[in-house]
Amino acid sequence: MKIRIVDLLKSDIYGIDVYVRGWVRTHRQSKNISFIALNDGSTVHNLQIVIEHVKFEKNMLKTITTGSAIGIKGKFIRSAGGKQQVEVIAGNIEVYGIADPQEYPLQKKEHSLEYLREIAHLRLRTNTFGAIFRMRHNMAFAIHRYFNERGFFYFNTPIITTSDSEGAGELFEVKTELKDDFFGSPANLTVSGQLEGELGALALGAIYTFSPTFRAENSNTFRHLSEFWMIEPEVAFNDINDNMELAEDFIKYCINYALENAADDIEFLAKMYDEELVDRLKFVVNNEFVRLTYTEGVKILEESGHKFEFPVFWGADLQSEHERFLVEEHFKKPVILTDYPKEIKAFYMKQNDDGKTVRAMDVLFPKIGEIIGGSEREENYEKLAKRIDELGIPMKDMWWYLDTRRFGTVPHSGFGLGFERLVLFVTGMTNIRDVIPFPRTPNNCEF
Ligand code: 4AD
Ligand code: MG
């Protein structure tokens, strides 16, 4: 019976014949017998294969080194001793592909994350990256499930676009070798699906996007990528409070899903990298997020007496050190900051009556800082058009967006969750390059 190791390890039907295939993590030889730790990617746990030398050809056995791919047909039994619970006594061995020990880069039991980043194509074969990318899958699945169960429609927004929703000048241009304006006007890779997402929400009621996004910001930090994935729900008739409820409920659901469905991988990552991981995840799930305004937050930071690398004052864009101070030192809870100065936020956010702030909301997390950014949107045509004009955004490019405010406009809200920041949080990893299979950052775009 062909079976994945994850399923086999759950089984308690012993004595049956099984067929497993995977990659050799280690091959320990003793005099008459050897032990292979086999991993097929389905779980962080290896399956022990017992090989009695008399049954097999010596030269063939020699080729089975760390990294080789093999198939084993054999008997699944309860292990006689040692720390293994179960094992497979090999009856037949098939060698698919060898991995020359002189060349194979993953010989050692442990490698540094920095080294593994240089061999991103092979790091997937380690327990660490297996755990991370199974988790990434689990989070993607949880996200689709969450929205589907709540009547949101998955809505696909363009990757190539002519709009710049965040207006931060971080665009990657799209052109061909021969033509600068293949599309008849300058185009770029999207920084966010929001503006088109709003069009969807104002027709379907509630939508979400889950899409790659691209930012040419030159920030080499633990939490920035040039290509990252974003989840952007957008809901007609939601105000900022509904938006905060949704964001909190949504992210707690994802974290709970991880705790309930990826316990083995979490346990492994916690043991290897972050002993407080489980506590931190439970802490977020079990606590209400603190809600306060940017103005109140800045006051706390100013009065804290803490020395920050970047100065903090009303009007300043908060840095991760400020965000983390509020979350980790001051409140010791996740925080939702609202009502930011309009100058540091995007043009589409709903303007407050004070004329200075907009109805923005950022969700701030321990270790990460900003994990979600969103807002209620300005639904009033005149106010929105005026803001677009003030910021010098070419009105002719925005006609389609403004049309939603001309025809059947309604209050609406949404936010963006940085997918990799979520995966960072639930894996306890500390560098965003380690939670996307093939990271793109300034000066780094291999494969
Ligand atoms: O705060 P941002 O820029 O918000 C938007 O793009 C809005 N259009 C979202 C919306 O309201 N629909 O980005 C949203 C989130 C951030 O909170 C952060 O988690 C993540 O996207 N993010 C990045 N993640 C990795 N690398 C980067 N360079 C990121 N920039 C933003
Ligand atoms: Mg933001």
Side-chain angles (χ1 to χ4, degrees), residues 202-373:
L202 293 180
L204 299 166
I207 62 94
Y208 69 104
T209 71
F210 191 157
S211 210
T213 48
F214 307 87
R215 300 211 181 162
E217 53 195 333
N218 201 5
S219 33
N220 254 309
T221 79
F222 78 96
R223 60 177 201 167
H224 286 94
L225 289 164
S226 310
E227 174 180 301
F228 64 102
W229 288 65
M230 202 173 2
I231 297 95
E232 296 185 272
E234 190 74 32
V235 187
F237 308 105
N238 265 11
D239 67 13
I240 185 85
N241 291 312
D242 302 320
N243 207 31
M244 286 193 274
E245 294 295 327
L246 180 65
E248 182 168 343
D249 187 58
F250 167 54
I251 204 156
K252 281 179 171 172
Y253 176 94
C254 294
I255 295 166
N256 236 332
Y257 188 91
L259 284 165
E260 284 171 10
N261 296 280
D264 281 3
D265 288 328
I266 290 181
E267 191 189 318
F268 171 80
L269 292 166
K271 194 175 80 198
M272 294 293 292
Y273 299 102
D274 182 357
E275 284 181 341
E276 288 156 23
L277 179 59
V278 176
D279 287 343
R280 199 177 313 111
L281 299 185
K282 289 193 173 151
F283 174 79
V284 167
V285 171
N286 295 329
N287 273 294
E288 259 181 45
F289 297 4
V290 179
R291 298 177 188 185
L292 69 159
T293 64
Y294 167 93
T295 303
E296 290 163 335
V298 166
K299 193 150 173 272
I300 291 169
L301 292 169
E302 281 175 332
E303 288 172 359
S304 69
H306 188 89
K307 235 188 124 23
F308 294 108
E309 193 190 332
F310 293 92
V312 58
F313 53 90
W314 198 95
D317 209 352
L318 299 184
Q319 305 291 325
S320 87
E321 55 168 342
H322 306 131
E323 296 167 344
R324 292 182 59 180
F325 183 87
L326 288 174
V327 173
E328 293 166 27
E329 311 287 329
H330 189 81
F331 289 109
K332 300 193 164 52
K333 279 184 192 172
V335 169
I336 310 183
L337 271 194
T338 60
D339 302 288
Y340 282 70
K342 66 175 183 205
E343 282 76 20
I344 57 172
K345 290 292 181 188
F347 74 92
Y348 51 71
M349 294 193 182
K350 186 175 173 71
Q351 298 159 31
N352 284 321
D353 292 338
D354 64 10
K356 291 191 300 198
T357 59
V358 287
R359 220 159 274 181
M361 54 163 245
D362 278 9
V363 179
L364 314 179
F365 258 33
K367 283 190 82 179
I368 308 284
E370 180 191 337
I371 193 160
I372 283 177

Side-chain angles (χ1 to χ4, degrees), residues 58-77:
K58 248 209 170 96
N59 284 337
M60 183 272 287
L61 289 181
K62 264 201 216 142
T63 65
I64 305 177
T65 54
T66 297
S68 359
I70 58 170
I72 300 285
K73 287 180 179 147
K75 223 167 229 12
F76 177 59
I77 61 158

Side-chain angles (χ1 to χ4, degrees), residues 6 13 54 93 108 139 190 200 202 216 223-224 238 255 260 310 318 320 370-371 376-378 388 425 432:
V6 67
I13 308 167
V54 287
I93 304 176
K108 285 194 297 179
M139 288 298 89
T190 187
L202 293 180
R223 60 177 201 167
H224 286 94
N238 265 11
I255 295 166
E260 284 171 10
F310 293 92
L318 299 184
S320 87
E370 180 191 337
I371 193 160
E376 187 168 338
R377 320 304 188 190
E378 182 55 72
I388 288 176
F425 187 72
I432 201 162

